[in-house]
């Protein structure tokens, strides 16, 4: 359902669903990454970066996600 909402251009609905899932189990790195995508689509780049970093704390094995977080941090001028 959240992916459908996101692809339909409804990031707010997707964000709410992802946050509900994370409230039940905050250790799901893939949900943090999906939430970051939805936040980015909404234009919340700082929120997206925070979500990427939370996900990477649970699973840092995806080089593309690490690179995206690094690039986003550079663009935002944060560490």
């Amino acid at each position: 359902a959240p992916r459908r909402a996101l692809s339909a251009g409804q990031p707010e609905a997707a964000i709410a669903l992802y946050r509900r899932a994370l409230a039940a189990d905050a250790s799901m790195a893939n949900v943090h990454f999906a939430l970051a995508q939805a936040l980015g689509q909404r234009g919340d780049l700082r929120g997206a970066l925070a979500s990427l970093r939370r996900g990477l704390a649970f699973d840092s094995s995806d080089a593309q996600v690490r690179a995206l977080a690094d690039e986003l941090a550079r663009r935002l001028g944060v560490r």
Side-chain angles (χ1 to χ4, degrees), residues 8-74:
Q10 301 172 330
E12 294 302 324
I15 289 166
L17 291 167
Y18 288 135
R19 285 188 170 149
R20 192 172 316 147
L22 289 168
D25 182 358
S27 69
M28 296 184 291
N30 61 322
V31 178
H32 284 287
F33 301 150
L35 174 58
Q37 179 184 7
L39 291 168
Q41 184 173 326
R42 184 178 75 181
D44 181 1
L45 299 183
R46 288 189 182 276
L49 177 58
S51 192
L52 287 172
R53 287 179 168 173
R54 281 191 294 273
L56 286 167
F58 292 104
D59 180 3
S60 62
S61 66
D62 190 324
Q64 284 184 312
V65 174
R66 287 193 317 271
L68 177 60
D70 289 345
E71 175 61 24
L72 196 50
R74 272 194 297 279

